[in-house]
Amino acid sequence: MIRRGGRSIPFFLFLALGLMGFSLPDARAREEVRISGTGGGLAGIRLIADAFNKTHPRTSVKVMPIIGSTGSIRAVIAGKLDLGVSGRPLKREERAAGANEIPYARTPFVFVAHDTVPVARITMEEAVDIYNGKTKAWPDGTPIRLILRNEGESDLVFLKTMSAEMSRAVDNALRRKGMIVAATDMDNAHILETTPGTLGTTALSLVLSGKRQIRVLALGGVTPSVEAISDGSYPFAKPFFLVTGRTVTPATQTFIDFVVSPMGASILGSTGHAVIPGS
């Protein structure tokens, strides 16, 4: 007889289970925390997850493929994810469905271009003219290839809040035929990185976390940085939220605590995030 957890198991049954490929529950098995969300926030969370997994042998944080802010919120509500990473606050109906949010960081929202574009800065007026289609080329004559995002996507929503003129210009750009529209944050970054003449927007955290070869443009003479959003000199900061469901597993809570710990804050700070105090 073999004893396990206070119960006796006949040896022949134990052997048969082993031969059939079954295994008895192991109390030491790692608990899994499944995470997905917006690419801009998930890039930094992936680095934190790597550090967490090295120091927490009883818990495994698994970063799933990117499904965006809305997709991750829906998945958390449905119980398909333990934790979502969102680039926007929850909507009233999402809170009513059981979702909860924890703001944990902000990052500069930036205009970016292909690394060979011959400019290092842009003004809001110049950006509006590009989105309106009035300015069609860079100073050296290279055609500007504007990269847009889908309507309702958090980066596009944030871009439209930058000014009333920009909001109208974005709508005009979306109506023009033949525009390039990136489906995800990673698609957006890849197109900007590999297609000459491109201009678009993204989160500084995504550029730094992924070590993307993309030119981050100064806006109105101010270089986007963690320091610049902290002192208010760069006003365009996109927030990130951790999203949970009605219940939070102990393993998920342990990871949340790690994200806002000194080690997590250090990783975030080095990759373009300003940690929100008290999160």
Side-chain angles (χ1 to χ4, degrees):
M1 303 289 282
I2 294 176
R3 287 191 171 273
R4 186 173 182 88
R7 300 178 62 183
S8 298
I9 303 174
F11 179 76
F12 72 87
L13 179 58
F14 182 83
L15 180 61
L17 288 171
L19 291 173
M20 292 172 64
F22 290 98
S23 61
L24 293 169
D26 186 350
R28 297 171 298 175
R30 301 183 79 184
E31 295 182 80
E32 186 173 85
V33 178
R34 299 157 300 166
I35 302 175
S36 185
T38 180
L42 210 60
I45 291 295
R46 189 184 303 276
L47 297 177
I48 295 178
D50 290 342
F52 179 90
N53 287 335
K54 292 175 182 177
T55 56
H56 292 72
R58 298 287 297 276
T59 304
S60 174
V61 175
K62 185 175 182 180
V63 180
M64 312 296 286
I66 294 168
I67 57 175
S69 297
T70 300
S72 70
I73 293 167
R74 290 173 178 169
V76 166
I77 292 171
K80 303 297 183 182
L81 287 176
D82 299 294
L83 198 61
V85 180
S86 176
R88 63 166 176 82
L90 292 174
K91 298 176 182 177
R92 181 183 303 174
E93 58 269 26
E94 292 166 340
R95 291 192 181 94
N100 296 287
E101 63 190 0
I102 304 167
Y104 70 94
R106 299 183 302 145
T107 190
F109 183 76
V110 295
F111 287 99
V112 288
H114 188 268
D115 204 37
T116 60
V117 164
V119 298
R121 63 191 68 236
I122 194 170
T123 66
M124 187 65 72
E125 292 76 15
E126 289 169 340
V128 166
D129 284 346
I130 291 172
Y131 277 82
N132 274 323
K134 292 175 62 177
T135 302
K136 301 179 184 295
W138 296 109
D140 66 350
T142 300
I144 296 173
R145 306 188 71 178
L146 186 61
I147 312 302
L148 301 174
R149 304 301 304 277
N150 289 308
E151 289 194 74
E153 191 278 331
S154 63
D155 276 10
L156 191 78
V157 171
F158 191 95
L159 175 62
K160 294 179 71 172
T161 68
M162 294 175 80
S163 74
E165 293 77 15
M166 177 57 75
S167 181
R168 289 190 289 269
V170 169
D171 289 338
N172 290 336
L174 288 168
R175 285 192 289 266
R176 290 201 299 276
K177 293 182 179 180
M179 302 299 292
I180 302 172
V181 180
T184 69
D185 290 333
M186 294 299 104
D187 290 340
N188 184 54
H190 177 73
I191 296 169
L192 287 160
E193 195 171 36
T194 60
T195 307
T198 48
L199 174 76
T201 57
T202 191
L204 182 64
S205 58
L206 188 149
V207 178
L208 298 182
S209 299
K211 298 181 179 179
R212 293 283 184 174
Q213 297 303 304
I214 300 171
R215 179 163 298 184
V216 177
L217 303 179
L219 179 62
V222 180
T223 299
S225 66
V226 170
E227 294 75 20
I229 62 172
S230 297
D231 65 22
S233 58
Y234 190 86
F236 304 112
K238 183 176 179 179
F240 289 130
F241 305 85
L242 297 175
V243 180
T244 64
R246 293 187 189 277
T247 60
V248 180
T249 67
T252 301
Q253 186 60 55
T254 299
F255 180 68
I256 292 172
D257 293 341
F258 186 80
V259 171
V260 298
S261 71
M263 181 176 290
S266 176
I267 294 171
L268 289 172
S270 68
T271 53
H273 300 77
V275 177
I276 295 176
S279 58

